[in-house]
Every structure is written in structure tokens, then in C-alpha cells.
Amino acid sequence: MSACPDTLVETAPLPVLGRDVTVPLVTGGEVTYAALDYAASAPALQRVWDDVAAYAPYYGSVHRGAGYLSQLSTDLFENSRRTVAAFLGCRDGDQVVFTRSTTDSLNLLATALPAGCEVFVFETEHHASLLPWGSSPAGRGGRDVRVTYLNAPRTPGEAVRTLERALADRDPYGPALVCVTGASNVTGELWPVRELAAAAHAHGARIVLDAAQLAPHHPVSVRDLDVDWIAFSGHKLYAPFGSGVLAGRADWLQGAEPYLAGGGASRKVARRTDGGVDVEWHTTAARHEAGSPNVIGVYAIASACKALTEAGFDALVAREQALVARIRAGLAEVPEVRVLSLFGDDAPRVGVISFVVDGWNSSHLAAALSAEYGIGVRDGLFCAHPLVRTLLGSEPQDPGECGAPEAGAGEKSLNAIRVSFGAGTPDEHVERFVRAVKELVTEGARWSYRTEDGRCVPDPTG
């Protein structure tokens, strides 16, 4: 484990909304809320909010009108597409398609898979990148999409070797796609994306990168990583309003039926003499952007891309690694804590750390962190059930404890705690979290808790 630095930067490099919000404590009084659940949804950058507020009076329909506001909104929308393309280092000919989220982006790509495509995906993926392939319309439509789920590797090298063996056994002449995360939403560990891309291409396969957890923390380039597509979400990139991105090669997207049928995706629609309708679809990104675009969400993403670029990823990464080291060093001082990892303590990672505490159900500890310290973290399986179950193995938590998830027949009750942070996290939030974990584990909770609707919550009676 890296040594903890002596000092940390006192303030977050990028101001976010909610940094001054106070929340009540069950023990009395209020405290500034410590948002440490960035991996679920990062708070909006103040810069993003200000940019959106400045544009809001000029909001108009995109690609739909001749009026000034419509034309301005259309320019804003398309300029945002260019900003995102630059942020992702897109190649000439790549398309940037705006979607609702990473999940939406990967489901869109799943509908564009050629017939007979083989998909290879590690069991360690978030459900957004684990589940779309076998249940996609392409598969349901009888286009023979086959999915191979690969076992969790224990080193980056093993990940590459596992993929190479799987690809070597496939039909060398058929289409194939590899889906891999850039940074785990459970452990924060960085995956060997360049090496996996090289292995995929050496065996005639394409690769899509789930960058939902990577893009907010590290520079991500289609060109430099040599991936075919990148998917990410605005709400994890400090940009709310429900927009996402799928960027990369155009041919499979152009060859697929539109993701949604409707206005904006169609270039020309005409009645036939037999009473039917002929449709000519766009071949640009508009093919998969039917309906009125979410221009506010798209502009928010572009604003966040600019803010991160201007702040400089070198400085952001260095500062975040200091926070990672501080938390890991603090947790290491508590013998009851076990940090979850696939690749080991020395593996590079982003600001995402999951752990379990001996003697505590994770839901109970997360509830106490919130109610007694004003700290927001995540507990559960983090929409990555196979991975968390692999990491927890045979360490069940007491199913009778407050908030413990119900286990199925023959299953163990498993869940963990995740703390995640980024460019908007003040040092005080990290220090408070480390202190709170130590106090709760050594001294116990100061309040009573009960299970309500499956969640551990403070007992009103104390």
C-alpha cells in the first residue's frame, strides 16, 4: 500500500453543488454533508450548473425550427458533440451518439451487433455492461448473438490471457465484440484496456470500453487506447440531467436499424401505393437519436468535459491518489476492516474503495455513518453482483442484523460498503470518514437502528 502523504490539499480543485449543504444528526445538531458516493452519481460541478443556467433562457428545439433560439440550441448541441469527440480523442469517421446513460449506450450497441456476433464479457462487469448482450433485441430477434462470460481474473495479466484463450477458440471469420470496464465500480482498480484491445484486435474482434468510472478520473482516448467504442454517463462526470455517450466506429451503427423509430432519425418518409410507408433513415449519429434531443443534458456533459480538461488530469489524478492513500492508510489501522480487491493492494485505482468490517453488517455501518456523522456512502452489491460475491467469497454477514439483505435458499447474506470521491471532494470529508469508521468499529454506534423496508434506519426511539 502506498504511504499516506503528510499533507493534503485543503480544498477541492473543482467546486461542486451541495458543498455547503447541512444535514441533521440523530445525536443532535447539524453538519456539512460529506458526499462520498461519487461512483453512483457525482455532484454537479458549479461550472456545469452555471453554464446550464446561462443557456436556459435560450432553450429551444434542436434540429426542428428556423427561429433564433432553435438555431442557437442546434449549434449548441452540435458544438457539444464536437467537444465530447475532442475529450474522447475520437478518430476521423467516429460518431458520437448521445444517449440517456452508459446503460442506454451499451444497450444501443447491443442492438447494432451483426448477425452471428460473439460477445465476450468478464463476470466482473457492472450490470450495465454485463447484461445487455444476451437479452438485446438482436438476440431476441433470432440473430444468433452468443455471449461468453469470462471468470474473474486475479491479475491484469491473467485478464489478458483469459481473453486471448477465449478468443482463440471462437470462429475466426465471424464478428466478435469484447466488453470491458476501464475502472471497476467496486474496487476502483484500473483494467489493462490497451492490452485487452490489442488482444481483441489480434483475434479479429472489436472492443467497447465502459468508461463510466474511468472518464471522471482519468483521461480517456479512443485513439490512444485503440478501442472501437467508449460509453459513459454524464451523471458520473459531474453533469446531471440524464444524458450519456456512445462514441466510436460508425459502420455497425449505420448498418443497424435505428435504436428508436421516430422523428429526427428519419431523413424521408413517404406513403406507398399499397398503403404502407417507406422510410429513409439517417446514416449520421442522428440515426440513433430519435425524438427531441436532451440538449441540456448534452450541454452539461460538454461543460464538464471542458472543466476537467482545463483543470488538468495530471493535477486531478495526483490529488485523488493522495485521497486514496489517506483512506486506505486509515482503514488499514482498523484490523476488522478488509478492503476488497481483485488485483492486490498495489494495483492502480481511482477514487472507489469497497470494504467489509468484521462484526458489522455493511448496511448497519452505512446507516450509522449517515445518521451520526453526516456521511453518505453506498452499501450493497453495487449492481455488480457476480463480482462482489466473488470478492466476498465465504464471508457471510449475520442475516439477522439491522438492514442485512435477504439471502435466497442456500445463499449467504452478502453486502459491502463503498466509499467513492473525486475532484469535488474536500479533505475534511475524507478525514471525517476515516475517523468515523474508527470510532464506530472501536466504540460502537451511539444510536439504535432497525430494519425498515429492507433498509437499516435510525430507530426514532433512540
Side-chain angles (χ1 to χ4, degrees):
M1 184 184 301
S2 303
C4 178
D6 293 332
T7 60
L8 293 173
V9 177
E10 289 300 324
T11 58
L14 289 175
V16 295
L17 292 182
R19 58 190 180 274
D20 298 323
V21 168
T22 60
V23 295
L25 302 180
V26 292
T27 51
E30 293 187 341
V31 67
T32 303
Y33 183 66
L36 295 177
D37 194 14
Y38 277 44
S41 282
L45 289 180
Q46 184 68 56
R47 155 80 174 270
V48 170
W49 192 262
D50 291 344
D51 283 350
V52 167
Y55 160 66
Y58 301 93
Y59 171 79
S61 61
V62 174
H63 298 148
R64 299 294 195 277
Y68 179 83
L69 298 190
S70 179
Q71 291 298 303
L72 185 147
S73 295
T74 298
D75 287 345
L76 188 79
F77 186 79
E78 294 303 332
N79 284 334
S80 295
R81 197 189 304 276
R82 287 185 280 273
T83 296
V84 172
F87 180 77
L88 295 176
C90 289
R91 303 155 297 216
D92 291 343
D94 282 343
Q95 287 186 347
V96 172
V97 181
F98 290 118
T99 65
R100 294 177 296 177
S101 60
T102 306
T103 301
D104 199 35
S105 295
L106 294 171
N107 274 270
L108 162 57
L109 184 60
T111 68
L113 298 179
C117 189
E118 296 183 73
V119 179
F120 298 84
V121 56
F122 286 94
E123 68 172 349
T124 47
E125 294 291 309
H126 185 281
H127 295 170
S129 48
L130 182 73
L131 301 180
W133 319 108
S135 60
S136 70
R140 292 197 301 269
R143 293 169 61 187
D144 191 26
V145 173
R146 289 163 287 171
V147 185
T148 298
Y149 296 103
L150 306 175
N151 292 335
R154 286 298 183 170
T155 67
E158 184 184 343
V160 177
R161 292 189 295 272
T162 297
L163 178 61
E164 287 177 330
R165 288 193 297 269
L167 291 172
D169 292 336
R170 80 176 190 90
D171 177 359
Y173 301 105
L177 177 71
V178 176
C179 180
V180 67
T181 189
S184 171
N185 78 302
V186 176
T187 67
E189 292 165 315
L190 300 180
W191 277 63
V193 177
R194 286 187 183 87
E195 293 82 356
L196 292 167
H201 293 152
H203 289 85
R206 299 187 181 189
I207 184 167
V208 57
L209 171 64
D210 175 354
Q213 299 296 340
L214 184 62
H217 303 276
H218 276 265
V220 177
S221 170
V222 174
R223 184 184 295 105
D224 292 347
L225 294 174
D226 196 24
V227 294
D228 297 279
W229 293 277
I230 285 178
F232 73 88
S233 295
H235 72 99
K236 298 185 191 298
L237 195 79
Y238 310 98
F241 307 112
S243 197
V245 171
L246 176 66
R249 295 179 61 159
D251 54 349
W252 283 9
L253 299 176
Q254 291 176 348
E257 291 296 310
Y259 187 44
L260 298 173
S266 56
R267 290 184 60 187
K268 183 171 64 176
V269 179
R271 289 291 302 274
R272 296 195 303 263
T273 56
D274 64 2
V277 174
D278 285 325
V279 184
E280 180 182 339
W281 303 105
H282 279 292
T283 57
T284 63
R287 183 183 189 88
H288 298 293
E289 294 177 345
S292 296
N294 179 4
V295 60
I296 295 239
V298 166
Y299 184 44
I301 289 180
S303 174
C305 289
K306 289 179 181 179
L308 290 167
T309 301
E310 292 168 5
F313 270 108
D314 288 346
L316 295 177
V317 169
R319 196 260 177 170
E320 183 176 296
Q321 290 309 301
L323 298 182
V324 170
R326 177 67 189 100
I327 288 181
R328 286 176 60 81
L331 293 178
E333 295 172 358
V334 186
E336 295 85 351
V337 170
R338 181 170 76 88
V339 174
L340 305 184
S341 176
L342 269 178
F343 300 153
D345 286 347
D346 295 330
R349 66 194 70 225
V350 300
V352 178
I353 299 170
S354 296
F355 62 97
V356 291
V357 182
D358 186 33
W360 282 81
N361 177 270
S362 296
S363 296
H364 189 187
L365 187 63
L369 286 170
S370 175
E372 299 179 27
Y373 295 89
I375 298 170
V377 297
R378 174 89 180 269
D379 68 277
L381 300 176
F382 318 127
C383 292
H385 294 188
L387 171 57
V388 179
R389 291 181 182 280
T390 294
L391 293 172
L392 293 179
S394 58
E395 298 186 21
Q397 300 185 36
D398 184 357
E401 195 172 343
C402 178
E406 295 182 3
E411 292 185 346
K412 301 178 178 66
S413 174
L414 301 172
N415 66 336
I417 300 164
R418 184 181 70 191
V419 55
S420 53
F421 42 92
T425 303
D427 298 346
E428 188 277 328
H429 292 184
V430 168
E431 296 296 344
R432 194 196 318 172
F433 168 77
V434 171
R435 182 180 72 254
V437 171
K438 291 180 180 178
E439 290 180 358
L440 286 168
V441 174
T442 58
E443 302 172 15
R446 291 171 288 174
W447 204 262
S448 297
Y449 296 83
R450 67 182 186 186
T451 301
E452 186 175 291
D453 296 327
R455 297 290 305 170
C456 187
V457 298
D459 191 322
T461 65

